[in-house]
Structures are given as C-alpha cells and as structure tokens.
Amino acid sequence: QYMGKKTYYVNIGTHEISQIPYGENAMYTIEADEMEVFELRKRFNAINDAEVGTYIRSHIPFVPYHKDGENDAYDKGLHEAIQMIYQLGVEKTKKDLEELGLYKDK
C-alpha cells in the first residue's frame, strides 16, 4: 500500500539517506515517499559506480578529464541527484542548495 511521504535526511557527500538525523548526515532534509527514496538511491548507486571507474581511471595516466566517460557519468549522476533532492527538499534545503550554487533553474 502507499505509505505517503516521510522525512529523510540526505548527505550528498556520503550518499546517505536516513530517517534518523545524526552528525553530518542531516545536511539536507527531504520529504519523500518510498518510490522517490528508491529513485534517489538508484541515482546515488549510479554515482558510486562512476566513482569506482573514476578512481581506477585516475590511476591510468594520459586520459584527459574531458575525454573521460566516467567523469561525465559521475557529473550527470550527481546533477540528477541534486535536482531530485531540491525538488523533494524542505524550504531550508532548497535555500541551502541555491546558496551553494548547486541548484540552478534551467
């Protein structure tokens, strides 16, 4: 059955999504239903996959950053995750993302 929206705390850096605020994980607060949290987790997982590729690539010389598909995937994934956090975010979260220049209206 549909559970409705709950409050979650998100840390973009560690990709944590939690219902319990502690320490740094409570950086951004969102209101999301289970499907939305599932989607956000999927985006974070995509970033994690790209990070592993980026890490491996960073140890192979002579691949310029701009020619690197993994970096593109990482940037795109991060951008999508941030867009989603903004859309689901409480007012303070929206304001914080705007002030940090992480969210821009297209």
Side-chain angles (χ1 to χ4, degrees), residues 3-18:
M3 295 300 291
K5 292 193 183 261
K6 293 188 185 132
T7 300
Y8 292 88
Y9 303 94
V10 181
N11 182 320
I12 293 172
T14 59
H15 307 155
E16 274 180 277
I17 305 168
S18 171

Side-chain angles (χ1 to χ4, degrees), residues 4 13 16 26-27 29 37 45-46 50 54 57 61-62 70 77 85 88 95 97 101 105:
E16 274 180 277
M27 202 172 256
T29 307
V37 169
N45 289 339
T54 300
R57 182 69 115 251
F62 313 122
E70 260 112 15
I85 291 164
L88 300 170
K95 204 162 148 286
L97 288 171
D105 276 318

